[in-house]
Amino acid sequence: MRAIALFAAAAFGLSGLAACGSGASSSSGSSSADSGALMLGGFFPETGSLSYLGPDTVAAFKLAVKDVNAAGGVLGKDVNTAIADSSDADHADQNTSGVQSLLAKKPGVIIGSPSSSVTKNIYKQASGSKVPVISVGATSPSLSGIDEYFFRTIAPDGVQGAVMSNVIEQDGVQNLAIAVFNDEYGTGLRKVIVNKLADSNVNIVYGKTETFDPTETNFSSLVTTLKASHPDAILVIAFDQTKALVKEMISQGINTNKLYLTDGNTQDYSGDFDPGVLKGDSATIPGAEASEEFQKRIKSIDSSVKNFTYAAETYDAVVLSALAAQKGGAVDGATIKDNLPAVSGADGGTKCKSYKECLALIKGGKSIQYQGLTGIGPFNKDHDPSSANIGVYKFDGDNKPVFDHLQSGKVA
């Protein structure tokens, strides 16, 4: 891993979307089969424990489609879209009905969900219809190479886990407790970190095997157990359950300035806790930090967005999908699947940074390497990014995560 400089810090925040039931929440245009235009399905969490990630992913999805269409669309036609609520893994019926509503639109690609568990619940449905799924936040290592129609614009947890382990070890932590929910994302990331710390001086005093239920709301017993393990620091791997967990830590007198958070719970907590509660705590998020200019463009789509965790991953997934269809000369899922590795740079080619620039190269008969906002490497044989960046953050006195530095690494 190597540290490199990146963009200025950005604020993250909680922003809600209206719940949209089990159907598609919005759509534009007709299906790709009817019109010959590319149909993109967006599968994002509008409800459930991941709903705070909905606004930025939806806005990034819409922004990317806007840019693609402004550059001439795909094969000379504007891209059409449909968006459905993916919710979370505790609402499996919503996972299923949401993806079915998208498949009914005959999309060329489905982009989302940011949840590993939700992705596992739906990828077979999409694959059975020969529709690629490009996840923007599912990081479980078990998803690597799981299906020829599955891709992701975010690195598996082996990279984030290695960086988090480095941060914990470099901070001189001797006794670490881990509070992790029983979720594909949580247990997968925990496994990487535990393995990485096995040969270090860090002693894991609680949480090597223990988990809590994702639907838990009363954390009194868990926090009592955590406190009794006498940790120097606590790593929390969860989603929105983190708020109630931290409040119980405060109630029981645990020092909350010795916490570590991951991408699933790194957000703006200024409206949830008193100033200073998380000051100095470290966190990690896969992917490059959203630049100030990109944040402004996201806000031009939805002014309420404050959290940009998976915005870049979503934007790049849209652009890669459009480029794959353009290169393959068709908008069906099989064609896009076959051409996604090539436009990501798996076969080399001329580097290009925007859809407009890459489109001109493809029309000129050249191979391309799309250099997107995420900073990921070309898709490897498992359809994971071949390399990735992990941002390390520090919480300020207002309980907002502020970018500190970037570490980059290869994906195994």
Side-chain angles (χ1 to χ4, degrees):
M1 313 302 289
R2 59 186 177 84
I4 62 175
L6 195 65
F7 303 105
F12 287 73
L14 178 63
S15 179
L17 285 176
C20 298
S22 61
S25 63
S26 63
S27 64
S28 65
S30 57
S31 74
S32 56
D34 295 335
S35 68
L38 173 61
M39 169 65 77
L40 290 181
F43 196 46
F44 307 117
E46 298 176 331
T47 60
S49 61
L50 282 172
S51 60
Y52 69 96
L53 295 173
D56 69 301
T57 49
V58 170
F61 179 80
K62 292 179 177 179
L63 175 63
V65 171
K66 180 180 178 181
D67 288 348
V68 168
N69 288 341
V74 175
L75 301 175
K77 296 185 178 183
D78 279 355
V79 173
N80 296 323
T81 62
I83 297 175
D85 178 19
S86 64
S87 194
D88 58 29
D90 295 315
H91 298 86
D93 56 338
Q94 178 61 51
N95 305 164
T96 300
S97 61
V99 80
Q100 286 177 342
S101 72
L102 292 178
L103 290 172
K105 299 284 187 178
K106 300 178 182 178
V109 184
I110 292 177
I111 295 171
S113 145
S115 165
S116 296
S117 293
V118 171
T119 298
K120 276 202 166 182
N121 287 344
I122 61 91
Y123 80 89
K124 287 184 179 179
Q125 291 174 267
S127 176
S129 298
K130 298 188 183 307
V131 176
V133 170
I134 306 178
S135 177
V136 301
T139 58
S140 172
S142 65
L143 290 169
S144 294
I146 199 168
D147 192 280
E148 63 175 335
Y149 278 88
F150 176 71
F151 296 78
R152 49 184 163 186
T153 51
I154 192 166
D157 280 327
V159 183
Q160 181 181 194
V163 171
M164 176 56 78
S165 302
N166 290 342
V167 171
I168 292 171
E169 189 173 6
Q170 290 165 6
D171 284 350
V173 174
Q174 294 183 335
N175 297 307
L176 176 72
I178 304 175
V180 57
F181 62 167
N182 189 14
D183 175 270
E184 178 79 20
Y185 158 74
T187 56
L189 182 55
R190 189 258 309 270
K191 180 178 179 180
V192 174
I193 294 171
V194 168
N195 289 341
K196 290 289 183 181
L197 292 175
D199 296 326
S200 72
N201 293 322
V202 180
N203 179 35
I204 300 177
V205 294
Y206 177 83
K208 271 189 177 182
T209 58
E210 298 87 353
T211 61
F212 66 84
D213 193 310
T215 62
E216 184 62 74
T217 57
N218 186 342
F219 290 97
S220 177
S221 177
L222 173 59
V223 171
T224 298
T225 303
L226 288 170
K227 187 175 182 179
S229 68
H230 303 292
D232 301 327
I234 300 173
L235 168 63
V236 181
I237 308 176
F239 294 147
D240 212 37
Q241 305 90 341
T242 303
K243 295 175 185 176
L245 178 57
V246 171
K247 287 177 180 179
E248 183 61 32
M249 289 180 186
I250 295 170
S251 176
Q252 294 197 29
I254 287 181
N255 183 1
T256 56
N257 298 122
K258 296 291 186 180
L259 302 183
Y260 293 90
L261 306 183
T262 58
D263 57 316
N265 53 10
T266 299
Q267 57 174 299
D268 180 348
Y269 292 103
S270 58
D272 302 294
F273 307 131
D274 291 336
V277 166
L278 300 179
K279 185 176 181 179
D281 289 345
S282 296
T284 53
I285 299 178
E289 174 60 88
S291 69
E292 186 175 348
E293 176 60 28
F294 182 53
Q295 291 178 45
K296 287 180 180 178
R297 299 196 67 219
I298 290 291
K299 283 179 165 292
S300 73
I301 302 297
D302 181 353
S303 61
S304 69
V305 173
K306 295 180 181 179
N307 170 50
F308 301 91
T309 303
Y310 299 126
E313 286 77 8
T314 303
Y315 185 96
D316 283 353
V318 170
V319 173
L320 285 164
S321 300
L323 290 171
Q326 182 71 40
K327 184 181 187 307
V331 297
D332 62 281
T335 297
I336 293 172
K337 179 261 295 182
D338 289 341
N339 285 277
L340 277 168
V343 296
S344 76
D347 302 326
T350 304
K351 294 180 180 179
C352 49
K353 294 184 177 181
S354 69
Y355 178 75
K356 183 177 181 179
E357 182 185 357
C358 294
L359 178 63
L361 291 170
I362 290 175
K363 287 183 174 181
K366 295 184 178 180
S367 298
I368 65 166
Q369 296 184 56
Y370 173 59
Q371 305 284 287
L373 301 175
T374 57
I376 59 174
F379 290 124
N380 62 22
K381 64 180 179 60
D382 289 328
H383 296 170
D384 291 332
S386 53
S387 62
N389 300 311
I390 305 294
V392 180
Y393 297 76
K394 292 283 188 180
F395 280 87
D396 64 13
D398 294 324
N399 304 314
K400 297 179 181 180
V402 178
F403 178 77
D404 187 73
H405 68 278
L406 188 76
Q407 294 191 23
S408 303
K410 297 289 185 181
V411 175

